[in-house]
Amino acid sequence: MIDRTFDTAHPEPVTVPGPQGDSPGHGETTEPVLTLKGAQQIFRTPRGDVPAVAGVDLEVRAGQVLCLVGESGCGKTTTARMAAALADPTAGSVLFRGKDVASMDRKERAAFRRSVQYIHQDPYASLNPVRTVYSTVSAGLRRHGMVKNHAEARRVTAELLERVDLTPAEDHLDKYPHQMSGGQRQRVAVARALAMNPEVIIADESTSMLDVSIRVSLLNTLGRLRDELGVGFLFITHDLAVAKYFAWRGEIAVMYLGKVVEQGTTPRVVNDPRHPYTEALVSAVSEPDPDLAHRKDRIRLREADIPDLTDLPPGCDFHPRCPLYAEGDCDSVRPPLVRSHDRLLACHVVTRG
Amino acid sequence: MNDLPTDPGTDDGALLSVRGVDVGYRTGRRTHVTAVHDVSFDLHPGQSMALVGESGCGKTTLGLGLLRLLPRTGVIPSGEILFRRKDGTRVDVRTLQKENLRRFRWSEAAMVFQGAMNAFNPVLRIEDHFVDTFRAHENGRRRPRREILEQSAELLEMVRLDPARVLNAFPHELSGGMRQRSLIALALALRPQLLILDEPTTALDLLTQRSIVERLAELREQLRFSMVFITHDLGLAAELADRVGTMYAGRLIETGTTRDIFHRSRHPYTSALIDSVPPVAGDLHVPESLPGGPPSLHALPPGCSFAPRCAHALTDCDLTRPTLDVLVPRGEGLSHAAACLRSTDAEIHAEGVPR
């Protein structure tokens, strides 16, 4: 379990929502829609236990974006699956509007399923190839009895397609996935999620497979859902440029080996990263500008390879690679995620200084 | 046909002179589709050229075509791919016959394929890949396995891998980054003059990407090979390339130094691509979206292929296909050239507008 002790020595205004029950003075106006409390997922394997997610506290609010970034294997997708109740946490809980998802009855669970929708990474795999767009998008509407008859289902589906910029909708209703481009397919996946009037959309690398040119327009479409319909997003990406653009007014949580190591408002985390891992990530980005690319300070890690989850180093997970590694606590005590200035940080060296 | 700045014949200093190359695929008994149209460029020793563009623009087809590694349905109906070999003789890769082609590949020009995952044979250890490669290219004398392994170990050390761990491993036992580095070491085994890399860092994590990019830059300094790399990651191009070629619908539509392309692009497609990737550093830069996709190769528009998506298209653009015209002539294939009717139009290329 993560031990959160909050450093009260810094009186700066706090923009990061803490875990439940933390300091009532912080004026978050909206209640979180989706809350992960110490959510943990340990996979038992013959090689030993794999702590894919080792206790995370996250909150998603209506109309806000919480972006999870990190390398593959750091637990982003497992976190998303727990948030969508596709996997039960081995410890900790997932709360929807304050109610534990695990203790929901049938009816509540159905409402939860409608309200939290998932968009997968690969639009080539996530759409059923033998179903038309109409059939895919309206499946949920029909299943949940949200439309009365065929005519209404088609009308509502057409409206949804317009919303995700598949216009004119009539042209797309009866297409099969193979007749569409990757970007269009991903829009169908978004329309399908939107059909349920969700309060939260969990988007797992939803733009990674798309060409750069299409990526931006899909992000803009998602941004409109966020701003106009007040949909909250748990947005997962490994691309910092995408994270920065989509979550500019939201928050970023950086994950490393199953734990959040830094969390704060996007402009602060991206432009002034404090955790050495975040710093390394930001410095590793190849900028689309040759002058900037050559000018940029690159952080050298002490080791290039990521440790095995079944054989984690003692102390801080990042210490074997960390450029700030110092004698003392780094290799013996696991740093807790504590508030430091304007964000949450898990690093002995940075929080001390 | 020859749009290049330098003299229309072959450029003597060039390592690779590509002249009017078309690459197509047979799609049926009498049908075929041309995936690469009339591409010409000169690559000089030590240069690193990035080919950028959306998926389906012919980048990979061109890269494979340069080494004649196309699938069986692939054909190169016209053009010349002149390559200056280590012994100074010049060959046309397009007409090389079986054995000569086999010898040419790897020892003169090697390829690093997309997806290091699939490039290795999963049932062979890494050391066997090295041994096979060296054996296939030795001249008569059979080298002892030990000698080959020693050399392989040196190659792996060059890409910062621990030979003791890697040589004996099967591909699945290595991480994606280690596999990609092993693949680069293997590609460099016979000291080729040219390395063609297809999406070398796609699907790798950010920090792993960084270590590959840095290794490649160092190796290029050290071994002085030339590179053609295919990528849709413009950041990678900005960093690793000296020059960039933009491809659209099978044609090279703009070519120039990295600075030309990123700071003074004269083709609306290149500019749109660059504008769609926001930099991570600094304040929020709102990227521009570029709606639509490249046209079908079966039904290319009669004029400029980009005209239907272009924000600056004039009526003439739908009728006239622009040629790749030189805007700033420079030696060694570094001229800035763009295939756009409005490439010199001051209205859309206001001078000194920084991004």
Side-chain angles (χ1 to χ4, degrees):
Chain A
M1 272 294 63
I2 280 194
D3 169 27
R4 278 204 193 194
T5 40
F6 284 90
D7 187 353
T8 44
H10 301 290
E12 283 96 341
V14 172
T15 42
V16 183
Q20 292 279 296
D22 163 58
S23 13
H26 302 153
E28 279 296 343
T29 46
T30 50
E31 279 295 300
V33 182
L34 196 61
T35 310
L36 274 75
K37 259 172 101 176
Q40 191 185 61
Q41 181 77 256
I42 296 175
F43 295 115
R44 316 228 174 265
T45 72
R47 289 190 304 134
D49 288 356
V50 178
V53 177
V56 293
D57 297 283
L58 297 169
E59 291 178 348
V60 185
R61 287 163 204 277
Q64 300 280 318
V65 179
L66 172 64
C67 193
L68 291 181
V69 301
E71 293 174 281
S72 21
C74 73
K76 303 188 297 284
T77 296
T78 308
T79 305
R81 287 176 53 82
M82 287 193 290
L86 296 173
D88 295 327
T90 45
S93 53
V94 178
L95 307 176
F96 175 67
R97 297 214 163 279
K99 183 148 176 69
D100 193 336
V101 172
S103 66
M104 281 181 175
D105 62 30
R106 232 183 125 87
K107 211 174 142 198
E108 287 171 324
R109 217 173 159 85
F112 167 79
R113 283 271 179 252
R114 279 200 299 273
S115 302
V116 177
Q117 292 290 319
Y118 204 99
I119 304 172
H120 298 269
Q121 171 169 9
D122 183 354
Y124 291 82
S126 68
L127 298 181
N128 188 337
V130 300
R131 282 187 171 210
T132 61
V133 169
Y134 160 73
S135 165
T136 294
V137 174
S138 65
L141 293 170
R142 291 178 282 139
R143 178 74 185 78
H144 288 275
M146 292 159 81
V147 286
K148 284 196 281 296
N149 50 41
H150 181 77
E152 191 184 353
R154 273 190 84 87
R155 187 177 53 77
V156 175
T157 305
E159 280 169 18
L160 288 164
L161 294 183
E162 303 263 344
R163 239 201 199 286
V164 296
D165 301 318
L166 280 173
T167 47
E170 282 302 320
D171 290 1
H172 295 284
L173 274 176
D174 298 311
K175 275 190 180 165
Y176 286 92
H178 74 266
Q179 295 168 306
M180 311 182 93
S181 68
Q184 290 175 326
R185 289 181 212 212
Q186 199 59 298
R187 284 174 192 280
V188 173
V190 176
R192 172 172 61 182
L194 210 55
M196 297 292 99
N197 264 328
E199 293 177 65
V200 172
I201 288 181
I202 300 173
D204 186 2
E205 300 276 14
S206 303
T207 60
S208 312
M209 302 263 298
L210 306 177
D211 260 318
V212 284
S213 50
I214 302 160
R215 197 175 290 167
V216 176
S217 61
L218 186 70
L219 285 174
N220 291 342
T221 302
L222 294 178
R224 275 214 322 278
L225 306 182
R226 173 195 63 199
D227 300 337
E228 291 170 14
L229 305 179
V231 178
F233 276 88
L234 179 60
F235 192 85
I236 295 175
T237 182
H238 65 271
D239 186 335
L240 282 170
V242 167
K244 176 182 166 182
Y245 177 56
F246 191 65
W248 185 249
R249 277 172 294 150
E251 279 185 49
I252 286 188
V254 182
M255 290 188 71
Y256 185 68
L257 292 175
K259 296 175 202 70
V260 173
V261 295
E262 178 163 6
Q263 182 179 353
T265 53
T266 304
R268 305 297 302 146
V269 173
V270 172
N271 289 343
D272 180 27
R274 304 290 295 277
H275 193 283
Y277 177 64
T278 319
E279 267 189 273
L281 282 182
V282 172
S283 90
V285 173
S286 295
E287 297 282 10
D289 177 333
D291 293 339
L292 197 58
H294 292 119
R295 224 175 32 232
K296 207 168 166 177
D297 291 328
R298 306 289 186 190
I299 290 180
R300 294 223 162 243
L301 293 182
R302 299 200 299 148
E303 205 175 289
D305 295 314
I306 199 162
D308 195 330
L309 272 171
T310 55
D311 184 22
L312 290 174
C316 174
D317 292 333
F318 191 55
H319 88 262
R321 307 171 76 190
C322 184
L324 297 183
Y325 169 75
E327 293 283 321
D329 289 345
C330 287
D331 55 4
S332 55
V333 182
R334 174 158 292 168
L337 187 67
V338 296
R339 188 174 304 282
S340 169
H341 300 278
D342 52 355
R343 67 192 75 190
L344 299 170
L345 268 178
C347 176
H348 293 301
V349 179
V350 177
T351 47
R352 194 191 306 140
Chain B
M1 172 185 120
N2 213 326
D3 313 312
L4 270 206
T6 42
D7 56 291
T10 54
D11 185 338
D12 278 343
L15 173 69
L16 177 72
S17 293
V18 178
R19 287 285 173 272
V21 163
D22 281 6
V23 187
Y25 292 102
R26 286 196 307 276
T27 51
R29 201 179 236 181
R30 280 190 198 82
T31 52
H32 80 283
V33 60
T34 308
V36 170
H37 280 279
D38 194 17
V39 165
S40 303
F41 64 88
D42 285 313
L43 189 74
H44 283 249
Q47 283 181 350
S48 157
M49 175 170 176
L51 291 176
V52 301
E54 288 164 281
S55 330
C57 280
K59 308 184 300 281
T60 299
T61 297
L62 176 60
L64 294 173
L66 293 179
L67 292 189
R68 301 248 316 267
L69 285 168
L70 294 162
R72 271 169 42 167
T73 51
V75 282
I76 310 177
S78 62
E80 284 180 321
I81 305 170
L82 298 170
F83 190 94
R84 203 184 59 208
R85 287 193 292 204
K86 287 174 186 164
D87 60 10
T89 57
R90 204 174 277 275
V91 290
D92 184 355
V93 180
R94 199 169 83 85
T95 57
L96 274 184
Q97 292 306 307
K98 252 187 168 177
E99 182 60 16
N100 281 334
L101 180 64
R102 192 184 72 75
R103 296 205 167 277
F104 166 81
R105 290 180 186 149
W106 224 312
S107 55
E108 296 287 351
M111 178 108 191
V112 177
F113 290 97
Q114 184 170 11
M117 216 60 114
N118 313 320
F120 284 110
N121 183 336
V123 297
L124 292 185
R125 295 178 194 277
I126 301 295
E127 59 179 33
D128 297 320
H129 288 91
F130 277 94
V131 171
D132 285 355
T133 306
F134 280 113
R135 288 261 158 87
H137 287 270
E138 62 197 7
N139 297 317
R141 191 180 72 91
R142 193 177 163 83
R143 292 169 66 192
R145 193 179 168 95
R146 224 195 52 231
E147 195 184 307
I148 292 180
L149 289 184
E150 272 168 28
Q151 201 183 339
S152 311
E154 280 169 31
L155 286 161
L156 288 172
E157 274 164 11
M158 230 162 52
V159 291
R160 303 268 155 82
L161 285 173
D162 174 15
R165 169 160 180 220
V166 173
L167 272 179
N168 205 24
F170 285 102
H172 74 267
E173 295 174 296
L174 304 177
S175 70
M178 292 167 83
R179 255 193 305 252
Q180 187 63 283
R181 277 182 283 168
S182 311
L183 204 58
I184 291 171
L186 187 60
L188 292 172
L190 301 172
R191 297 292 149 99
Q193 301 186 76
L194 172 67
L195 205 56
I196 297 178
L197 303 109
D198 190 1
E199 302 280 8
T201 62
T202 308
L204 295 178
D205 276 315
L206 202 50
L207 296 177
T208 317
Q209 273 185 25
R210 167 81 5 225
S211 71
I212 303 258
V213 166
E214 281 172 5
R215 264 329 16 235
L216 272 175
E218 284 169 29
L219 285 171
R220 201 160 70 88
E221 286 277 296
Q222 197 183 331
L223 305 175
R224 306 240 154 243
F225 52 85
S226 307
M227 287 198 306
V228 172
F229 67 94
I230 296 155
T231 184
H232 64 258
D233 181 350
L234 290 158
L236 184 70
E239 190 162 337
L240 211 50
D242 312 323
R243 46 188 291 214
V244 179
T246 313
M247 290 193 73
Y248 187 74
R251 286 172 197 275
L252 204 53
I253 53 149
E254 182 164 12
T255 159
T257 64
T258 312
R259 281 219 170 79
D260 287 337
I261 299 292
F262 283 92
H263 297 320
R264 298 178 286 273
S265 161
R266 287 308 182 97
H267 197 290
Y269 178 64
T270 314
S271 318
L273 269 190
I274 294 168
D275 285 342
S276 65
V277 279
V280 169
D283 277 340
L284 187 66
H285 164 99
V286 177
E288 295 287 325
S289 70
L290 172 61
S296 158
L297 293 171
H298 286 290
L300 288 179
C304 170
S305 334
F306 185 60
R309 294 170 80 189
C310 184
H312 306 291
L314 305 173
T315 35
D316 208 18
C317 294
D318 294 326
L319 309 168
T320 318
R321 169 163 296 145
T323 51
L324 190 64
D325 294 327
V326 175
L327 302 166
V328 185
R330 294 192 199 98
E332 304 208 312
L334 294 173
S335 305
H336 186 185
C340 174
L341 295 178
R342 304 189 72 185
S343 60
T344 53
D345 195 329
E347 212 178 292
I348 56 173
H349 301 291
E351 285 300 327
V353 177
R355 273 206 335 117

